[in-house]
Amino acid sequence: MILDKNSAKKTAELLLQINAIKLKPESPFTWASGWQSPIYCDNRIILSYPQIRNFVREEMAKQVETLYGKPDVIAGVATGAIGIGILVAEALGLPFIYVRPEPKSHGRQNQVEGHLESGQNIVVIEDLISTGKSSLNAVNALKDAGANVKGMVAIFTYGFKVATDNFKNAEVALHTLSDYEHLIQQASDTNYIKEENLQTLMQWKTNPSQWKP
């Protein structure tokens, strides 16, 4: 869910500006899942641009406070959201932890890294939502460790129905700075994409796993 439309528009503009998100309907990408896609997102690039990094940090921190007040701890999802999660925690003056995809196979075999006490209120920071599977895996790890997960704030979502259903079924609140609809609108308004490519981009969104160029 988008909390602030102006922030969603500005976030989309900045992500396109630094190529954190690329749109290539005429020459699609192949995701790790094997899906063909006219869009590719790598929000880790944000960290290399101080002004944009600061914008994202402040907007995410503002949304965390608006939605949840001040939690006890901020948690980032490894690896993509560790950097931005630390920045949000710093902006709010809060402790930070991060969650691995699975427990380490050695040492203390931690999945949650950092100091977490049972019953603490947590807001999870994520960089990108596709199906939501890895994000909710992190939420489950935090709950297993005794955390009270208040919700998740992410930079961007493709807005897939499967993700909406997964978060709803898990009863986890999700808000994002921007989403696919705002991105496509911004790309169209600024002539980042050609008018004839709009239909292709919208068709992909309706059935991304089966879409072919």
Side-chain angles (χ1 to χ4, degrees):
M1 181 184 297
I2 295 297
L3 186 63
D4 185 313
K5 291 184 177 181
N6 290 329
S7 177
K9 176 180 170 63
K10 183 64 175 179
T11 301
E13 176 188 349
L14 295 174
L15 294 178
L16 288 169
Q17 178 183 314
I18 62 173
N19 287 321
I21 291 182
K22 295 182 180 181
L23 296 172
K24 294 176 62 178
E26 70 287 352
S27 181
F29 303 93
T30 300
W31 287 2
S33 62
W35 291 9
Q36 295 289 296
S37 170
I39 180 173
Y40 189 81
C41 182
D42 182 4
N43 286 330
R44 287 168 292 194
I45 291 174
I46 292 169
L47 299 175
S48 298
Y49 294 85
Q51 287 186 318
I52 296 171
R53 181 179 72 204
N54 290 342
F55 170 83
V56 171
R57 178 196 67 195
E58 294 304 320
E59 288 299 310
M60 295 192 89
K62 187 190 306 179
Q63 292 202 15
V64 168
E65 282 200 298
T66 299
L67 292 163
Y68 307 110
K70 270 203 176 183
D72 298 311
V73 180
I74 294 293
V77 180
T79 59
I82 292 178
I84 195 66
I86 291 171
L87 292 171
V88 173
E90 181 68 18
L92 294 171
L94 294 174
F96 175 77
I97 60 176
Y98 71 88
V99 189
R100 297 176 179 273
E102 57 188 25
K104 287 194 299 185
S105 59
H106 59 280
R108 294 187 296 163
Q109 300 182 332
N110 291 341
Q111 185 169 3
V112 177
E113 297 286 5
H115 180 71
L116 174 65
E117 297 179 10
S118 181
Q120 285 188 308
N121 293 322
I122 306 288
V123 172
V124 183
I125 300 298
E126 182 62 289
D127 67 324
L128 175 66
I129 305 294
S130 53
T131 65
K133 183 177 178 181
S134 59
S135 305
L136 291 170
N137 178 60
V139 170
N140 289 334
L142 288 164
K143 288 182 176 179
D144 289 344
N148 177 28
V149 178
K150 305 292 287 184
M152 182 178 295
V153 178
I155 298 172
F156 184 81
T157 178
Y158 295 114
F160 297 150
K161 183 179 184 301
V162 63
T164 301
D165 291 344
N166 284 341
F167 275 88
K168 181 179 179 180
N169 292 336
E171 298 182 336
V172 175
L174 171 67
H175 289 79
T176 63
L177 295 192
S178 195
D179 60 13
Y180 192 74
E181 282 71 25
H182 284 85
L183 178 82
I184 299 305
Q185 185 63 56
Q186 178 65 22
S188 176
D189 290 347
T190 57
N191 297 315
Y192 182 94
I193 53 173
K194 298 176 183 177
E195 189 69 28
E196 57 265 30
N197 287 331
L198 275 175
Q199 185 176 359
T200 299
L201 289 162
M202 297 314 295
Q203 285 176 341
W204 170 79
K205 171 69 162 36
T206 61
N207 193 8
S209 64
Q210 300 299 317
W211 182 83
K212 300 295 180 185

